[in-house]
Amino acid sequence: MQSGALMFLASAVISAMTVAATPAEAQLIAYHYDGVYSGGAPPAPGLSDRSCRALPLTRIDIENGILRAWDGGRQSVKGFVTHDGFFNADYYFPGRRGVVFEGVIDTGGRLSGGIFDGGCAFVIEMTKAQ
């Protein structure tokens, strides 16, 4: 993807997170990735401090192209999925503003992404429930 397209996508994501999507932004959102994804979010070896522990992120729900997850009753993830399967979301650590959570979903239903926060990097691998 070219840098201009990445900048457009980033600005669309920020706009979608803060206000209702404009018609142009709504065209980016894809519904064919909708479903429930489950897996884990362990710290990435070699990229994380020894004190880093796995995130309690074990399930992601995508409905109408909107990606969401909850940890212990609080919403921890919010973002959207594009037609190419790319997603950009915020991961909300307790007491902090969102941290970027980016990745891709392939046509086989495998979600792969990452979160980097300070000295901790997390690799998220999930599969879509059949």
Side-chain angles (χ1 to χ4, degrees), residues 56-63 66-77 91:
L57 182 62
T58 58
R59 175 183 165 146
I60 292 176
D61 297 311
I62 301 174
E63 184 176 339
I66 304 299
L67 184 140
R68 289 192 171 98
W70 291 264
D71 295 343
R74 70 174 180 86
Q75 183 169 305
S76 60
V77 174
Y91 185 88

Side-chain angles (χ1 to χ4, degrees), residues 34-45:
D34 285 7
V36 175
Y37 295 78
S38 60

